[in-house]
Amino acid sequence: MRSSPGTANGTEGLRAQNLSQILTMVHRDGPLSRSELTRRSGFNRSTVGALVQALAERNLVRESEPAGAGRVGRPSPIVQANPGVAVLAVNPDIDALTVGVVGLGGRVHHRIRRETRGIPSLEDAVGLTRDIVAGLQPALAALDRVLGVGIALPGLVNAGTGRVLVAPHLGWRDADLTGPFSRALGLPAVAGNDASLGSLAESIFGAALGVRDAVYLNGSASGIGGGIVTGGAQLVGSRGFGGELGHTLVSPGGAACHCGRSGCLDAEVRLERLLDAAGEDAGGGIEALERVLAEDPGPAVRAEAERQRELLTVALVDFTNIFDPRLIVLGGFLGALVGFPGDQLSGTVNAASLAGGVEVRRAALGPELLLIGAAELAFQPLLSAPS
């Protein structure tokens, strides 16, 4: 009996969903054995074998024999995402632009940070990215495929249209963001808020792995942004602009904020204030702060770090009361404040919040965090439809 076109389309649609499920599991949780994929997916062994074979034929996964394969019994092959299938990741900021090459499985092949002379315009950022990528051509040619570009921007981004509404510290407003990058690099481009993408990366590969309710804060040269995961899903808001936690009021009547208010977390807790206290050039970025705090920072740095920790705690208590997270993850320069001096933030936040029970943890992905988050956004079309 011949199947109808509708039945055939339904079968193909189901197969596409199954391929997506297996590839996403291997990408985010792998390497995994075929037997583990069978257990996690609920498919039978032959179905998993056929799906893995189809993905291998597309060069999206690779199989290998497990360690100790010489033992008695039939070993289950290990399935790994092919890191040679990669995307470009771009993170513009007020003092530098970082470009990464990230493969499936979250593997960062290359990370290049170039300091800028002053705050870059959108055109400057595109041109600098094009120059960096041109220098990476020999490395890119050795990969199997480069699929696209993911951009992590410190600002409000409409991921659906690829436009930046406002990136206040960069001075970018109501502009096509993804189009210029796509044309310059000859690849499809997608973009999102940097802190939201950092939250996504930490929940998949980092400190928030397996945690269904978490708050993430990222501190960079351009300020503080946030991301919220509740019930295992990101809270993005009606227009995708949710998570602007940097504009939480922590010091009424304090420093002026670019949003028009005074005393926002973004205005009071600043990387450049810590570097100024240490007598360091702001161009040194987070790496310079890490070096200062690892050595004897001196009384001026200690005083500023304590001031910023106190104000950060005000915000973290508010987030704990509002979102009831199991975990708060601090990335960028905020991560350096977790353990300085001593790991006291968890205890202080729990003592001041209504219910307590939250852990404050430093981001695990370090300087690769935003690149991995931007790459995850660029990988999404492939993960959704590997066929």
Side-chain angles (χ1 to χ4, degrees), residues 31 62-67 76-80:
R62 294 171 176 172
E63 287 194 279
S64 60
E65 292 297 321
S76 179
I78 302 299
V79 185
Q80 178 180 359

Side-chain angles (χ1 to χ4, degrees), residues 276-296:
D276 286 345
E280 289 278 340
D281 188 324
I286 296 169
E287 289 81 1
L289 177 63
E290 295 276 11
R291 185 176 64 253
V292 168
L293 296 183
E295 301 167 357
D296 183 8

